[in-house]
Amino acid sequence: RFAEQGGQFIGIPGRGEPFHKNNEALVRKIVSRASEKGLTTTIFTTGDTLLFRPKFKKDKRDGYHLCSEKRRTDNGQDLIDFLGTRNVILLIKYNSADNNIQDNIVRTHNYTKYRERAIKELKRRQSIHKDDVKWNLKVGIVTSILKNNIDEIGDLYDRFNPNTGYIFDCDTILPRGRGEYYKRSDNLSHEDLNKVFTLLKKKGAISSCQGGTYVGIACDRIFHHLYVSLKGDVYPCIGC
């Protein structure tokens, strides 16, 4: 019905990894259906699940360790190839390029290593399919401004921006879920956020895109975002 009314984009956000083995079949079904209807689907992913079926080992002293080298086997079709021809925008969680900082933020050892492998493979596939008219996968990163990475945001934009073939999505923390923890422990001042906002604007990251930006004092996404749960409940934004 959304497509028939002129809708163009849908998104599959977090609250669980879309490509976790318990979620993937449903996500594939949504992506396929959306593609048939001419919709573009944005998927937010941690990235470490694109090439491997992760297994986690819990250590009482220092949290979780990602410890799987088991390659995916997805009914004969590689996940990246599946996404590549179905109007998908893949946004990978990317707070930091530093292994220690990133692994600490997600509280999982080796996460950064698996994510970087996935990004490298995605770049390789994009290069292979650059002349393939059926290949329409777009790739980018989504990052949040934290005390841990505030000095790195400019460098991340330099690496992941439209001129280098990526999408750059940067936001401030919503006080929901784990974001509520970060708001209490890592809260940044308006002055800190404004410095990042000014830097990104100077670099050309903030332009006349619909909805402006999450980076700032106020967020206007409630005016043009809807969040629909699996049960069909509709909210003005995912933060609600």
Side-chain angles (χ1 to χ4, degrees), residues 131-228:
D131 297 321
D132 184 351
V133 293
K134 293 182 179 179
W135 185 270
N136 48 36
L137 178 66
K138 295 180 177 63
V139 179
I141 67 164
V142 56
T143 190
S144 298
I145 304 172
L146 306 167
K147 282 186 177 179
N148 316 58
N149 70 352
I150 191 168
D151 295 327
E152 200 177 346
I153 298 296
D155 293 335
L156 291 181
Y157 178 75
D158 290 340
R159 179 181 171 190
F160 299 101
N161 67 71
N163 292 328
T164 60
Y166 292 96
I167 295 167
F168 181 80
D169 188 325
C170 182
D171 62 24
T172 48
I173 292 292
L174 288 170
R176 296 289 184 272
R178 288 187 62 190
E180 188 174 359
Y181 161 78
Y182 280 113
K183 277 290 187 182
R184 290 196 306 265
S185 62
D186 265 6
N187 201 18
L188 293 165
S189 68
H190 291 327
E191 289 76 15
D192 290 330
L193 294 175
N194 194 48
K195 286 178 183 177
V196 178
F197 182 84
T198 302
L199 175 64
L200 291 176
K201 191 172 183 179
K202 187 176 180 181
K203 287 178 175 288
I206 299 165
S207 58
S208 58
C209 59
Q210 182 186 13
T213 173
Y214 283 121
V215 183
I217 307 308
C219 175
D220 69 351
R221 297 295 176 106
I222 59 170
F223 295 115
H224 45 81
H225 268 196
L226 286 177
Y227 176 68
V228 186

Side-chain angles (χ1 to χ4, degrees), residues 2 9-13 214 220-229 232-240:
F2 174 66
F9 299 94
I10 64 170
I12 301 177
Y214 283 121
D220 69 351
R221 297 295 176 106
I222 59 170
F223 295 115
H224 45 81
H225 268 196
L226 286 177
Y227 176 68
V228 186
S229 76
D233 298 318
V234 182
Y235 304 91
C237 77
I238 191 171
C240 293

